[in-house]
Amino acid sequence: MSRGRLTSVVAERIRDMIVGGDLPAGERIGERALMERLGITRTPLREAFKVLAAEGLVEIVPNRGALVTQLSLADVDAAIEVLVGLETIAAPLACERALEDEITAIADLHRRMVEAHGTGDLMGYFRLNQAIHQGIVDAAHNAALSRVYRSESARIRRYRYTGNLDGVRWARALHEHAQILDAFQQRAGALLREILRAHHLAGWRVTRAMLADAAPHEGRRPARRRSRTKENPAQGGAPSVPSNRQ
């Protein structure tokens, strides 16, 4: 495997650990344990950290190494507002400018996403879900719009994943995506815009409540924890994603 390909594979593995909650927010990532777990050396690991740092999932701190980025609810609120705004801009443009091949590709992603939901593959579902949203934005054929959306979406990826841990919300989101696909296929820009807006806001309401319950004193960085997997609710701190319950 080439060096670049290995870095990409390692980055994807670590990204899934962060998104799924295996690597908790705000904590230092132990390099030795991760190298043993992934069967890799320090060089591809540190190169992967650089990729994830560029996405905003990891912070590289001198003399401390890589830490999982921790955001407050206010940070994610602001990012969600930006993403909703960007999709509001992108929806009518995508319906006007999308190539038929792009619409077909989105339909195929949706089919695979439905299959992932049926088998309970939450991470697979989430990856396809994110690809659909990015694909619709990309279909607007506005490079600046796509670039900003991709960057902001990557930064809060693990927070958005959390909402799907609620089974009712997960099923509802799948139904909403069927409506999204139908509006896109019909090239109904105004309708697609409103469906996407409602979809994002409904999902964030559920996700925000889950994160607030996990960290009721959001707004201060947490004190040093004795456990790596359970946060003492008496300590302050920005919300972290609950562990993946698969």
Side-chain angles (χ1 to χ4, degrees), residues 101-115:
D101 285 350
E102 290 174 317
I103 296 176
T104 299
I106 294 294
D108 182 61
L109 289 172
H110 177 83
R111 176 188 58 77
R112 291 163 56 198
M113 187 177 70
V114 171
E115 292 175 354

Side-chain angles (χ1 to χ4, degrees), residues 59-225:
E59 298 175 45
I60 300 177
V61 181
N63 302 319
R64 292 195 64 191
L67 284 71
V68 179
T69 301
Q70 186 171 39
L71 301 177
S72 70
L73 281 175
D75 291 331
V76 188
D77 278 335
I80 290 293
E81 288 180 355
V82 170
L83 293 178
V84 171
L86 293 175
E87 287 200 10
T88 295
I89 296 170
L93 295 177
C95 287
E96 177 185 342
R97 300 173 181 175
L99 305 176
E100 287 301 321
D101 285 350
E102 290 174 317
I103 296 176
T104 299
I106 294 294
D108 182 61
L109 289 172
H110 177 83
R111 176 188 58 77
R112 291 163 56 198
M113 187 177 70
V114 171
E115 292 175 354
H117 179 270
T119 60
D121 179 7
L122 180 54
M123 186 60 73
Y125 169 94
F126 183 72
R127 288 199 198 101
L128 292 163
N129 177 290
Q130 297 293 282
I132 288 171
H133 284 280
Q134 184 68 54
I136 291 173
V137 172
D138 290 345
H141 293 275
N142 181 312
L145 189 63
S146 291
R147 183 176 63 253
V148 176
Y149 186 89
R150 181 177 292 105
S151 175
E152 202 63 23
S153 183
R155 195 168 69 93
I156 64 167
R157 183 179 284 122
R158 64 190 178 85
Y159 294 91
R160 298 175 75 184
Y161 174 88
T162 303
N164 294 318
L165 296 173
D166 181 295
V168 174
R169 177 56 204 160
W170 190 12
R172 181 62 186 170
L174 190 68
H175 174 71
E176 291 166 2
H177 261 272
Q179 296 176 321
I180 289 168
L181 175 61
D182 183 63
F184 189 39
Q185 290 174 322
Q186 298 301 318
R187 294 182 180 270
L191 177 61
L192 178 60
R193 180 184 62 215
E194 295 310 312
I195 293 173
L196 284 169
R197 184 198 301 274
H199 171 69
H200 273 299
L201 295 179
W204 180 233
R205 278 194 296 271
V206 172
T207 303
R208 197 184 197 286
M210 294 174 69
L211 293 172
D213 286 344
H217 300 291
E218 175 270 323
R220 300 187 301 274
R221 293 193 65 85
R224 193 172 193 83
R225 287 178 283 174

